[in-house]
Amino acid sequence: MSEADTTATENPDSNLIEGEAVRELAEIPAVEVISRAAVMLMSSAAEKLGLGEADPSTSPHLDLDEARRVITALAGLVTASVEYLGPHAGPIRDGLQSLQRAFREASAHPDAPGSGPGEKYTGPVY
């Protein structure tokens, strides 16, 4: 018996749950899917910048290389989808800029304006 067969036998509803999740996702408006993705990327970047700690520089999660990647992905998503975000666009852009500034502050050797994470998509953030 394969692992998949064992899982299906142990939880016969597992396929039903997965099928329901796919149907539910299809019913969610695109703007909500994009917004949820943006919030997830923002949360990840904030953690990787150590912003969940009183002193970010001592955070065990501080990882500027990872933060750069996530912020750049967020900037690409926001830039590509801004026309669809409607009233969500402003707060998401503000969050992105805050993360870009936090990255600059956390860097021992900050990037030149326009070279920071995601700035090729958003323009320079000071």
Side-chain angles (χ1 to χ4, degrees), residues 3-23:
E3 186 177 324
D5 292 338
T6 303
T7 303
T9 303
E10 291 171 4
N11 186 4
D13 293 330
S14 65
N15 290 332
L16 177 63
I17 292 169
E18 289 174 15
E20 286 177 1
V22 170
R23 280 191 294 268

Side-chain angles (χ1 to χ4, degrees), residues 16-65:
L16 177 63
I17 292 169
E18 289 174 15
E20 286 177 1
V22 170
R23 280 191 294 268
E24 288 177 13
L25 186 59
E27 295 170 7
I28 299 172
V31 66
E32 190 172 334
V33 173
I34 295 166
S35 296
R36 285 183 185 186
V39 168
M40 182 176 288
L41 290 168
M42 284 182 193
S43 297
S44 175
E47 286 296 324
K48 293 175 187 317
L49 288 170
L51 299 178
E53 302 292 326
D55 180 5
S57 65
T58 62
S59 172
H61 304 291
L62 182 64
D63 187 335
L64 294 181
D65 187 48

Side-chain angles (χ1 to χ4, degrees), residues 34 38 71-85 89 92-93 96 100 118-123:
I34 295 166
I71 293 168
T72 300
L74 174 61
L77 175 65
V78 171
T79 301
S81 59
V82 71
E83 67 183 287
Y84 307 116
L85 293 174
I92 292 173
R93 277 187 183 163
L96 169 58
Q100 289 171 312
E119 291 182 14
K120 70 180 179 180
Y121 301 113
T122 64

Side-chain angles (χ1 to χ4, degrees), residues 86-120:
H88 303 278
I92 292 173
R93 277 187 183 163
D94 292 345
L96 169 58
Q97 287 179 355
S98 294
L99 290 167
Q100 289 171 312
R101 283 189 206 98
F103 183 91
R104 186 173 306 284
E105 290 174 13
S107 298
H109 303 286
D111 298 316
S115 299
E119 291 182 14
K120 70 180 179 180

